Amino acid sequence: PQPGGAPLRPVTVRDAIGDLPAIVNGQADEAMAYGAAPQSAFQAAVRGEATTLTDHWCKAMNELNLERCRCIPTDCPGADWRVLEAIVAADPSRETFKGQALVPWCLPNTADRHNGWRGLFGRLDVRGHFPTSTTDPQPMGKVGQVFHPHQDRIVSVRECARAQGFPDRTRFAGTVQARHRQVGNAVPPPLAAALGRQLRRSLERKARRDAERPSA
């Protein structure tokens, strides 16, 4: 630990999901093999005794958003929709994709009122951390940084679950949208456990003080 800092370093995106197998846009296999050993202490901890990976589903993007995703570089932390602007400026022939604007009209035209729409159509940074978990990961949603660091897709249910600290043995139900809602609406299990431990300590201390207090 650093002097005056946290006792442990933060878990990065790579720490959390770097061991998960590659999938493609819209893939929805109910279960699959891990395909690789854990690469971090966090991965080993969330895997536990699990031998099969579940809920590694991702939402399907339409062709336009998939093309936008492909345009966002994988080696440039912080890259977002502004890359699309730069592409069109460098090559005006790419202004449209199959008849639709590559750069959503609202982004450059309202950016000055919305902090530049920073992060929309952004990739996760493997050396950074996950942003706030949402119930519906969308590239133009409240948290637009939802693209996988290296793969052209939205983060999967399992990847979001790991960001919340769920062990891999936890199963979710329903459609991919329903599963994302279950993850996004949840209190992170490690946070709930930490609060529970602290409450227990407080109650135990109170019980000891009450037991030591002289009776009237």
Side-chain angles (χ1 to χ4, degrees), residues 40-120:
S40 70
F42 178 87
Q43 293 165 15
V46 293
R47 280 198 193 189
E49 300 299 320
T51 57
T52 301
L53 176 63
T54 61
D55 294 297
H56 196 31
W57 292 21
C58 65
K59 295 175 62 177
M61 291 184 285
N62 60 35
E63 285 189 276
L64 177 59
N65 280 338
L66 181 56
E67 177 63 17
R68 289 165 171 163
C69 178
R70 290 176 178 138
C71 290
I72 307 300
T74 61
D75 56 353
C76 185
D80 57 16
W81 70 272
R82 289 166 292 185
V83 170
L84 306 177
E85 271 197 316
I87 288 172
V88 172
D91 182 2
S93 69
R94 298 193 63 184
E95 184 175 359
T96 61
F97 175 77
K98 295 189 175 181
Q100 295 179 284
L102 186 66
V103 182
W105 180 91
C106 64
L107 299 185
N109 287 284
T110 61
D112 59 337
R113 303 195 299 275
H114 296 278
N115 194 32
W117 292 117
R118 191 175 303 277
L120 296 194

Side-chain angles (χ1 to χ4, degrees), residues 113-136:
R113 303 195 299 275
H114 296 278
N115 194 32
W117 292 117
R118 191 175 303 277
L120 296 194
F121 290 95
R123 289 187 185 274
L124 294 172
D125 177 5
V126 292
R127 296 175 294 277
H129 55 77
F130 277 87
T132 302
S133 184
T134 69
T135 59
D136 185 20

Side-chain angles (χ1 to χ4, degrees), residues 162-184:
R162 282 195 173 185
Q164 287 275 67
F166 279 100
D168 285 1
R169 67 175 181 273
T170 306
R171 299 289 299 272
F172 303 95
T175 64
V176 65
Q177 289 85 357
R179 297 179 193 213
H180 273 299
R181 281 197 298 273
Q182 291 159 38
V183 173

Side-chain angles (χ1 to χ4, degrees), residues 14-34:
R14 180 186 285 116
D15 292 334
I17 66 172
D19 63 321
L20 297 179
I23 56 175
V24 298
N25 177 50
Q27 187 166 337
D29 295 342
E30 188 64 45
M32 63 180 69
Y34 281 100

